[in-house]
């Protein structure tokens, strides 16, 4: 814990400007590089741009990657690698050097908008830190982590206005047939039979949301909760701390190496191209449409980085290991399956026609099946209260 606290303190003290957050949810991709057949970094940057990917997270602070991202509109989160953590934590001047050499020299041409401190040791934390996650309301942090690690970390994150970063992989819960999880629910296809939390009555239509809420409940049990937990008799703080998902995704093929499930049931139940495509596209569409809330926190934002950009042949136990099959692209830059990161566009009313004609058109639309509730006073889209905005 001393490690966590010191690291986060040192980095946030050294880098106040880098910790600015975007307010609404954004979607990016993890650009892992544990492979010997990946394209050069300049080609990768062109691929990102062409695909409409505006945020990447890298697992080191690789100079070639950071230089290639210069003068693009792509944001990047860099990471202090796990093997450097001890040194950086031991000595603030080493932390300062790290920040200068790995981050500051690339600014402002490269938009480095976050520094992750290690992976699955500090924050980001693995979802496996949460236990009893089904139903979500029973979620709590493992006893050996809750008081010694999570509580002081959450206090720190709250004090600094930061957010909890998690790695969440619903595919692993689905992979285990003894969990009897519906496939559409697991990948977030709507409609699906869903899952009702018997304690709260909340209905879940996505396993990812159930796991996000299990984490919110675990936070609530340590006193970090939104107002909606009041009915559980838990200490409440008004604003739920933001969760950011550093890694989530779905492998398109392969098996869990050495897994008993695989040997008994054969591979392919979970790790299929169709499931990977469904899960990642549902995720992209949710974030791009701004529909990121959970049943417990309907207004919750969700920053997400999909894992991963490429299949990485340097991982796992060979080509049939799921570890080599998380990519959305093959190393030759062909898509493994179809997906689209480009912002959805919508029509905007033409102000030049004048308010009177807009009003008439609006009334016609509202009488003929358009849902005009959100543009009534008090509705979600009432502001800005202008004819052009309402008509759009
Ligand atoms: C980025 O653009 C700036 C300003 O045009 C230029 O000075 C700089 O050399 C560019 N950096 C890279 C790495 O291309
Ligand atoms: C990139 O980062 C800047 C500064 O942190 C932020 O203003 C901008 O919205 C970010 N863009 C994206 C696409 O996340
Ligand atoms: C790219 O690689 C994949 C997987 O090896 C292969 O199926 C596909 O045909 C390749 N595409 C091109 C254009 O070479």
């Amino acid at each position: 814990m001393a490690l966590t606290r010191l690291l986060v303190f040192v980095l946030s003290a050294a880098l106040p400007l880098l910790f600015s957050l975007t307010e609404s949810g954004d979607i990016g991709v993890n650009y892992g590089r544990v492979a010997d057949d990946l394209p050069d970094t300049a080609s990768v940057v062109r691929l990102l741009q062409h695909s409409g990917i505006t945020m990447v997270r890298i697992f080191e602070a690789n100079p070639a990657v950071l230089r290639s991202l210069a003068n693009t509109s792509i944001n990047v989160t860099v990471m202090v690698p796990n093997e450097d953590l001890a040194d950086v934590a031991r000595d603030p001047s080493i932390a300062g050097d790290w920040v200068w050499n790995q981050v500051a020299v690339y600014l402002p041409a490269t938009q480095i908008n976050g520094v992750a401190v290690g992976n699955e040791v500090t924050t980001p934390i693995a979802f496996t830190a949460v236990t009893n996650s089904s139903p979500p309301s029973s979620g709590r942090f493992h006893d050996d982590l809750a008081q010694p690690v999570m509580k002081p970390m959450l206090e720190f994150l709250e004090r600094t206005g930061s957010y909890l970063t998690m790695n969440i992989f619903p595919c692993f819960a689905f992979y285990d047939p003894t969990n009897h999880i519906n496939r559409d629910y697991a990948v977030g296809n709507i409609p699906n039979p869903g899952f009702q939390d018997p304690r709260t009555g909340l209905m879940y239509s996505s396993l990812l949301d159930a796991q996000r809420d299990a984490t919110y409940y675990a936070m609530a049990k340590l006193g970090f909760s939104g107002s909606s937990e009041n009915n559980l008799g838990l200490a409440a703080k008004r604003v739920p701390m933001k969760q950011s998902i550093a890694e989530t995704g779905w492998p398109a093929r392969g098996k869990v190496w050495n897994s008993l499930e695989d040997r008994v049931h054969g591979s392919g139940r979970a790790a299929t191209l169709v499931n990977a495509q469904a899960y990642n596209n549902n995720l992209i569409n949710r974030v791009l449409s701004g529909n990121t809330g959970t049943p417990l926190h309907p207004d919750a934002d969700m920053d997400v980085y999909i894992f991963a950009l490429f299949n990485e042949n340097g991982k796992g136990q060979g080509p049939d290991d799921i570890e080599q099959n998380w990519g959305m692209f093959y190393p030759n830059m062909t898509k493994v399956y179809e997906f689209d990161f480009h912002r959805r566009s919508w029509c905007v009313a033409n102000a030049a026609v004048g308010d009177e004609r807009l009003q008439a058109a609006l009334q016609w639309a509202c009488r003929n099946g358009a849902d005009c509730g959100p543009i009534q006073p008090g509705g979600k889209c009432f502001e800005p209260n202008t004819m052009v905005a309402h008509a759009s």
Side-chain angles (χ1 to χ4, degrees):
M1 183 50 226
L3 179 75
T4 301
R5 188 171 271 179
L6 182 64
L7 273 171
V8 181
F9 174 75
V10 165
L11 286 173
S12 56
L15 288 171
L17 295 176
L18 297 181
F19 279 77
S20 62
L21 305 179
T22 51
E23 278 309 313
S24 59
D26 269 316
I27 187 141
V29 178
N30 282 280
Y31 174 16
R33 294 162 40 81
V34 186
D36 62 12
D37 56 354
L38 297 185
D40 63 83
T41 57
S43 304
V44 173
V45 169
R46 282 194 298 275
L47 181 69
L48 294 170
Q49 288 172 316
H50 181 252
S51 310
I53 297 171
T54 55
M55 302 200 304
V56 288
R57 179 170 172 265
I58 58 177
F59 294 87
E60 73 271 267
N62 181 285
V65 175
L66 291 175
R67 269 195 300 271
S68 295
L69 287 168
N71 297 330
T72 68
S73 55
I74 299 169
N75 282 356
V76 56
T77 295
V78 300
M79 196 175 84
V80 184
N82 289 353
E83 60 268 24
D84 291 352
L85 284 184
D87 281 345
V88 170
R90 185 168 42 81
D91 184 347
S93 78
I94 296 181
D97 285 351
W98 193 94
V99 167
W100 179 255
N101 294 325
Q102 316 284 337
V103 176
V105 292
Y106 301 103
L107 299 172
T110 302
Q111 299 185 63
I112 301 176
N113 71 336
V115 177
V117 182
N119 199 26
E120 305 200 342
V121 238
T122 58
T123 153
I125 61 163
F127 181 67
T128 48
V130 178
T131 184
N132 280 13
S133 60
S134 185
S137 61
S138 65
R140 59 185 174 79
F141 291 111
H142 277 286
D143 288 340
D144 56 341
L145 293 176
Q147 293 296 331
V149 178
M150 294 310 302
K151 191 155 191 281
M153 186 199 287
L154 289 166
E155 273 164 4
F156 177 81
L157 295 173
E158 185 178 64
R159 205 161 58 243
T160 53
S162 194
Y163 48 94
L164 182 67
T165 305
M166 310 270 305
N167 295 347
I168 298 192
F169 289 95
C171 55
F172 288 119
F174 176 61
Y175 209 92
D176 182 348
T178 63
N179 286 337
H180 301 291
I181 293 174
N182 173 272
R183 182 249 170 201
D184 288 318
Y185 173 69
V187 299
N189 280 346
I190 306 265
N192 65 59
F195 172 83
Q196 186 169 34
D197 187 320
R199 185 151 163 238
T200 61
L202 292 175
M203 245 346 256
Y204 288 86
S205 56
S206 125
L207 177 55
L208 175 67
D209 282 353
Q211 297 192 336
R212 290 168 68 205
D213 271 356
T215 311
Y216 275 126
Y217 281 104
M219 291 162 79
K221 282 163 194 162
L222 293 177
F224 299 86
S225 59
S227 50
S228 43
E229 277 91 22
N230 282 339
N231 58 354
L232 298 174
L234 296 163
K237 295 204 166 85
R238 296 295 303 171
V239 185
M241 186 182 292
K242 181 170 168 172
Q243 296 172 353
S244 164
I245 302 178
E247 292 177 27
T248 189
W250 201 292
R253 60 176 292 272
K255 58 183 182 176
V256 178
W257 203 255
N258 285 338
S259 142
L260 179 64
E261 304 308 336
D262 258 327
R263 272 178 270 147
V264 174
H265 300 281
S267 56
R269 183 181 121 86
T272 67
L273 199 132
V274 174
N275 287 352
Q277 176 168 13
Y279 181 80
N280 284 334
N281 277 285
N282 287 334
L283 194 64
I284 294 167
N285 291 338
R286 266 188 79 174
V287 177
L288 292 186
S289 65
N291 176 24
T292 53
T294 65
L296 179 62
H297 289 304
D299 295 329
D301 287 336
M302 173 167 69
D303 279 345
V304 186
Y305 291 86
I306 293 179
F307 188 88
L309 188 57
F310 292 111
N311 284 344
E312 292 170 73
N313 68 5
K315 293 191 153 178
Q317 309 289 322
D320 290 335
D321 191 326
I322 59 163
E323 290 307 322
Q324 295 201 8
N325 294 285
W326 292 91
M328 302 181 82
F329 286 99
Y330 295 113
N332 62 15
M333 300 199 280
T334 310
K335 284 178 171 179
V336 176
Y337 42 81
E338 215 27 70
F339 54 84
D340 185 5
F341 281 86
H342 292 95
R343 291 265 165 201
R344 297 287 170 274
S345 55
W346 59 87
C347 300
V348 175
N350 179 2
V353 304
D355 277 4
E356 204 176 302
R357 281 174 64 193
L358 285 179
Q359 173 80 41
L362 200 56
Q363 278 171 354
W364 183 87
C366 294
R367 273 195 228 102
N368 288 277
D371 174 11
C372 294
I375 57 171
Q376 303 306 314
K380 215 172 166 178
C381 304
F382 181 64
E383 296 294 346
N385 181 14
T386 68
M387 193 58 70
V388 174
H390 286 177
S392 294

